[in-house]
Every structure is written in C-alpha cells, then in structure tokens.
Amino acid sequence: MEPIENTSGIEIDRIYKTHIPNTEDAGEFPYTRGVQPDMYRGRLWTMRQYAGFSTAEESNKRYHYLLNNGTMGLSVAFDLPTQIGYDSDHAMSDGEVGKVGVAIDSLADMEILFKGINLEQITTSMTINATASTLLAFYIALGKKTGCDVRKLGGTIQNDILKEYAARGTYIYPPKPSMRLITDVFEYCGKEVPKWNTISISGYHIREAGSTAVQELAFTLSNGKAYLKAAIDKGLDINTFAPRLSFFFNAHNNFFEEVAKFRAARRIWANITKELGATEPKAQMLRFHTQTGGSTLTAQQPQNNIVRVTLQALSAVMGGTQSLHTNGFDEALSLPTEAAAKIALRTQQIIANESGVTQTVDPLGGSYYIESLTDEMERLALDYIIRIDNMGGSVSAIEEGFMQREIAAAAYIHQKNVETEKTIIVGVNKYTQPDNQDTPILRVDDSIREGQIKRLNEVKSQRDQTKVTELLETLEQQAKDGTNLMPCIIESVSNYATLGEVADVFRKTFGEYEG
C-alpha cells in the first residue's frame, strides 16, 4: 500500500499507539480500536440510506435514485401494518398503509420493490422485527424466483424483538415463541444463506425512547447476550452463528461520548462472547450499523439538522462503524424528500473523501479523555449488565419492567433539563426565531391503501388457494411441534401466502403479547 500523506505532505501512519500503554492493535481482541487492522484505509463503511414509503413502486424509484447517486446498500423501512403482521385490507391497517414505510403484503409487492435491482450485487438491510422471518422469506423467495444464488444474498434483518418489548412496541407474540422464531432464522441461515446477518441487535430504538448512552450500550448488549444464550440452548455452535450477528446503534450529539460508546461496545461484546465459549475471532467481533439520531432532529429551524447529522455521522466514523445511515434534515416534519436524502448521502461522502479522518485507524485513540471515557462507559454499562444478569437476563428484566422504568426515568430527566434550559437545544429553547416554515415536505396519499387492496385481491384470485391452505396448515402444525419454521414460511410465501396470513397462523398458535 502506498504511503498516505495529508495536505501538508506529512506521512500518516496506519495506527498510532506509542502513548497508549497496554493497548491492543486494531483487529486484535478485544477490538477496542476497531475490528479490522486497517479499518477505512482498506475499505470504507457501507453508505446506506433508509428508504421506503407509500407503495413498492415509489420506493423502487427512490432506491434507483439512491443507487445512481452512490449509495452502497439499501435499507428498507416498512409501514406499521407490515411491522405488526396485518395485510393492507385489515381493519387495523386503516390510515396507516404506506405512511412510515413501504407496504408489503405478499411476494408480488417485493417483486415490484426490487425491480431492476440485482440482489446478488447489493446488500439490503430490513428494519423489521416481529415479522422479520416472513420478510426474510419474501426476500429469499424473490432471490430464487429471479435466479439468484441464495447463498450469495447479503444483508441484514433487524429481527430484535427484545427491544420492542422494552422500548418500541411493535411486538406481536409473547417473548418465548418470538425468541424461537429468531433462533429458527439463525439455524436456517447458517446452513442455507450464510452471508446473511440474521439479527441486528438494536440500541437505536432504546436511545430514541429516551435512554442515556450508557443505557443504550448496556441494554443492547444484554439483549445480545440473551440471543446468544437462546441459540446455544437450541444446540447451535456460537462460533458458527455469532459471526452473523450485527448491532445497530444510535449516534447523538455528544461527540466524544458517542465515540467512547462505540469503542466500549466492542470491548464488552468481545468479552461476553469469549465467556460464552466463542473462540473464533469473527464470533467475538462486534460489527455495527449506525443511524444518526432521529429524536435529535428539530422541526424548528430544520436546516440546523444538517449540522447535527454531520457531527453524529462523524462520531460513528471515528468510533469505527461498519455501515451508516444519515437522516434527512426534514425528517422531523415528514419522510425525507429526494433533496434532503441527497444532502444526507453527500454528508457521508464528504466525511469519507474530504475530511481525512479515514486515513488512520482509531484517530482519537490515545486521547486521555477518550480512553478514560471509554473505560467509564464500559464500567457503567457492565454495572447494568450484572444487574440484569442477576434478574435472570434480559427477558426477565423486560418482563419485570426494569429496562422500561430506567428508560422512562432517563427520558424524564432529559425533558426536564430541556425545559429548564440546563440542556440547550438550538432553535428550540435558545436562539429561537418566529416560525416561518417553508421547508418542502413529502406527503403520502391516503388513497394508496385502495391500490394495495386491489393488488392483494388479484394475488389471491390468481394463486393456487388449495396449495396455500395446505401450506398454512402445515405451518401451524410445525409451529406446535417445534420444527424449524423457515422452510415452510419460504414455501408458503413463494406460493403467494400473504404476510397477514402467516402472522395469523402464529397468532393462533402462539397467542399475542399483552404487554
């Protein structure tokens, strides 16, 4: 590799560690400084832009627009009915179809969503949890139908149900059968779709619900520990499935705190996996996607959000993220317009190509403040993790309401600090100006539900209904007898069983969680 110089002609070392005693190199256990020896000198992070709204047709147009502008991977948002297992014609879907993401009822919608996109040549991240197994089944079925080698399909499903109980609320089934669906995905993909990341353990929504950075770190890693134990209890080899686990963190405005959080996360996770028997380096590495903080965006003076997003994105890069989504500046008002999405993407590209921060590994490492803050974040997070372990793990802690109470208390303190101006939010409680809102916003037409229902009816009228009924009956039996459910889900949706029909089978068998 040719030597790298900065703009003054000074040669830049790959990594600086002279003044950091007893510190491992990047790419060495416990990976505090990064999971790869060269980090971004070897390969940049994946630049993703979260998209998905209205219909599959409209979302497909946005995907092609983003890919043509340099996006390196797709990230799909789904509407609320899709997230909680209702087809667009269900009464519960009224008023919500296509509003916060794309509506997906059947394989027919997925065919349109990815029209003209080679699934072997891109990676796709899907923010979906309770119905994650079904959405992955749609994707695999689509890959098979379009002639892809499914062993080459790459991407991630969020598939993190524990944080739904703790912070977000789009759960369907009780914790135990939900965990069974997750470990079925682990087992199936380990054999059939080896490049797929089977879970993205999410601190993002924990932070959006009001947690502190320490709580985000601790609760996310505790949830990850619960998934490891559930898979081990199922008889899976941690060295086989753990490399396909990834994490999803938030990036907020306190720059140094965020960098320290990411560094501490890698260190804690490496030790957790080692304690549970992981011996392979890839099974010990914490790889993560980052999204800039949605809850930090303000409807007041929305252009200020461009600065916030830049700081947050930079903290993720300085902390060693593997992929990154930057929010549009207008997302406190609506789904992002094309113009806002382009600015968000250009923010990443400028950091990558103009800032110089990618030229050396862990550029803040060795700072007394960063090293001390990393250690303190680790200590405080471990205190929480030990408390949760003493309760019996994350599932018990969630069922007892512990995480929910801690998050609620942190959110209350933050709001109180904003209202008393102890915490300054520029444009909200200081440096305000009269509201003169002229920011264009993206509006989703309520009539799209009619189009979705029309397509849904066409699918049902053209499919082999006898075959679908038989498959759904088989799925119900397998849900009862403990068979891995993924093969039957894939076969069902390949024959155009709908998302809601699959979810209803599980509602009937597993019941619904009341919270």
Side-chain angles (χ1 to χ4, degrees):
M1 182 180 292
E2 293 184 8
I4 296 175
E5 296 179 348
N6 67 13
T7 56
S8 299
I10 300 169
E11 190 168 323
I12 300 170
D13 287 344
R14 183 186 66 80
I15 189 168
Y16 294 84
K17 60 182 294 185
T18 307
H19 303 294
I20 317 176
N22 303 317
T23 301
E24 82 289 345
D25 209 340
E28 295 179 358
F29 184 92
Y31 312 105
T32 308
R33 307 202 68 184
V35 294
Q36 300 296 334
D38 279 325
M39 287 304 290
Y40 306 133
R41 284 170 64 123
R43 178 185 176 185
L44 292 174
W45 63 92
T46 301
M47 298 180 193
R48 297 189 185 279
Q49 286 305 114
Y50 194 42
F53 59 93
S54 181
T55 62
E57 291 89 344
E58 290 300 316
S59 295
N60 178 261
K61 290 177 185 176
R62 177 64 64 88
Y63 293 153
H64 282 283
Y65 171 82
L66 290 169
L67 290 169
N68 290 336
N69 277 278
T71 291
M72 298 152 65
L74 299 178
S75 188
V76 188
F78 298 97
D79 71 358
L80 281 174
T82 303
Q83 293 180 48
I84 55 176
Y86 292 118
D87 290 333
S88 296
D89 60 355
H90 195 283
M92 290 290 288
S93 301
D94 190 16
E96 296 294 343
V97 176
K99 287 296 178 69
V100 298
V102 63
I104 299 294
D105 295 320
S106 74
L107 182 58
D109 292 316
M110 291 291 275
E111 290 166 356
I112 295 167
L113 184 64
F114 291 101
K115 185 177 180 181
I117 298 172
N118 189 324
L119 301 187
E120 287 186 16
Q121 295 179 358
I122 55 120
T123 60
T124 302
S125 174
M126 295 189 278
T127 304
I128 196 74
N129 296 284
T131 55
S133 56
T134 307
L135 266 298
L136 177 58
F138 281 141
Y139 198 83
I140 293 170
L142 177 62
K144 289 181 176 181
K145 186 172 182 180
T146 55
C148 293
D149 178 354
V150 297
R151 297 187 67 82
K152 295 180 180 178
L153 293 180
T156 305
I157 44 172
Q158 194 162 101
N159 203 25
D160 175 11
I161 202 63
L162 292 179
K163 68 96 176 45
E164 295 296 327
Y165 301 119
R168 191 163 175 267
T170 62
Y171 47 74
I172 305 175
Y173 322 113
K176 287 183 180 179
S178 294
M179 293 290 278
R180 181 258 182 104
L181 284 169
I182 290 168
T183 55
D184 278 1
V185 170
F186 289 178
E187 183 179 45
Y188 178 82
C189 288
K191 297 174 183 176
E192 305 294 337
V193 197
K195 291 180 66 177
W196 196 269
N197 296 319
T198 50
I199 191 168
S200 179
I201 304 158
S202 176
Y204 184 85
H205 301 99
I206 290 171
R207 193 70 175 277
E208 290 294 284
S211 81
T212 65
V214 167
Q215 288 170 342
E216 177 193 359
L217 178 58
F219 298 165
T220 304
L221 297 185
S222 283
N223 289 347
K225 192 173 183 179
Y227 294 125
L228 289 178
K229 288 185 172 182
I232 291 168
D233 289 345
K234 193 179 178 70
L236 303 183
D237 178 5
I238 190 170
N239 287 310
T240 300
F241 73 82
R244 304 320 307 173
L245 273 60
S246 65
F247 286 80
F248 175 24
F249 287 116
N250 211 315
H252 271 219
N253 291 328
N254 192 313
F255 182 81
F256 294 112
E257 181 179 47
E258 295 302 296
V259 174
K261 178 187 74 181
F262 299 133
R263 297 172 92 247
R266 282 191 293 270
R267 187 190 297 169
I268 297 170
W269 185 248
N271 285 301
I272 286 174
T273 55
K274 186 176 182 180
E275 289 168 6
L276 291 176
T279 55
E280 293 294 328
K282 288 187 177 180
Q284 299 169 339
M285 292 177 183
L286 182 145
R287 296 165 300 110
F288 66 99
H289 169 71
T290 310
Q291 181 173 337
T292 56
S295 61
T296 69
L297 302 177
T298 63
Q300 302 92 332
Q301 302 176 32
Q303 288 81 5
N304 293 345
N305 295 327
I306 297 173
V307 181
R308 294 185 178 102
V309 167
T310 303
L311 283 169
Q312 294 164 6
L314 186 60
S315 76
V317 171
M318 300 291 259
T321 193
Q322 276 61 66
S323 75
L324 178 60
H325 163 80
T326 34
N327 290 328
F329 72 87
D330 55 359
E331 288 191 58
L333 303 167
S334 70
L335 292 166
T337 59
E338 282 193 359
K342 182 182 284 188
I343 290 171
L345 177 58
R346 295 290 183 255
T347 299
Q348 294 197 51
Q349 292 167 337
I350 289 168
I351 291 172
N353 295 287
E354 299 185 28
S355 70
V357 299
T358 62
Q359 294 176 351
T360 192
V361 175
D362 190 29
L364 292 179
S367 155
Y368 292 113
Y369 180 43
I370 284 293
E371 297 299 339
S372 174
L373 194 55
T374 300
D375 291 345
E376 190 65 5
M377 294 287 285
E378 179 186 28
R379 183 185 69 80
L380 293 172
L382 285 173
D383 284 347
Y384 262 122
I385 291 170
I386 291 168
R387 290 170 68 185
I388 292 168
D389 284 346
N390 290 337
M391 295 177 191
S394 278
V395 174
S396 296
I398 289 167
E399 289 176 338
E400 292 177 23
F402 171 73
M403 291 185 189
Q404 297 93 313
R405 290 193 299 273
E406 292 292 305
I407 295 168
Y412 172 78
I413 291 169
H414 172 73
Q415 185 59 35
K416 185 176 179 181
N417 288 341
V418 171
E419 291 175 1
T420 60
E421 297 188 11
K422 184 176 179 180
T423 296
I424 300 300
I425 309 294
V426 174
V428 175
N429 62 359
K430 198 168 186 178
Y431 313 113
T432 59
Q433 63 187 34
D435 186 22
N436 184 20
Q437 186 58 259
D438 58 359
T439 303
I441 62 174
L442 181 66
R443 300 187 185 278
V444 177
D445 190 343
D446 284 331
S447 67
I448 66 166
R449 186 183 185 218
E450 298 172 10
Q452 282 297 120
I453 292 174
K454 181 180 178 182
R455 182 181 299 144
L456 191 58
N457 289 335
E458 289 173 354
V459 165
K460 289 181 177 180
S461 68
Q462 294 171 8
R463 70 188 183 181
D464 184 340
Q465 186 58 51
T466 301
K467 179 71 171 176
V468 170
T469 300
E470 290 174 354
L471 285 166
L472 292 175
E473 289 173 351
T474 301
L475 187 63
E476 181 179 349
Q477 181 57 44
Q478 291 183 353
K480 294 175 181 176
D481 66 24
T483 302
N484 188 303
L485 295 166
M486 282 302 297
C488 192
I489 298 174
I490 293 168
E491 188 177 0
S492 298
V493 302
S494 296
N495 284 276
Y496 294 89
T498 70
L499 174 91
E501 288 171 334
V502 172
D504 283 346
V505 168
F506 296 148
R507 283 188 178 94
K508 179 180 177 182
T509 309
F510 301 147
E512 295 187 64
Y513 184 65
E514 299 297 331

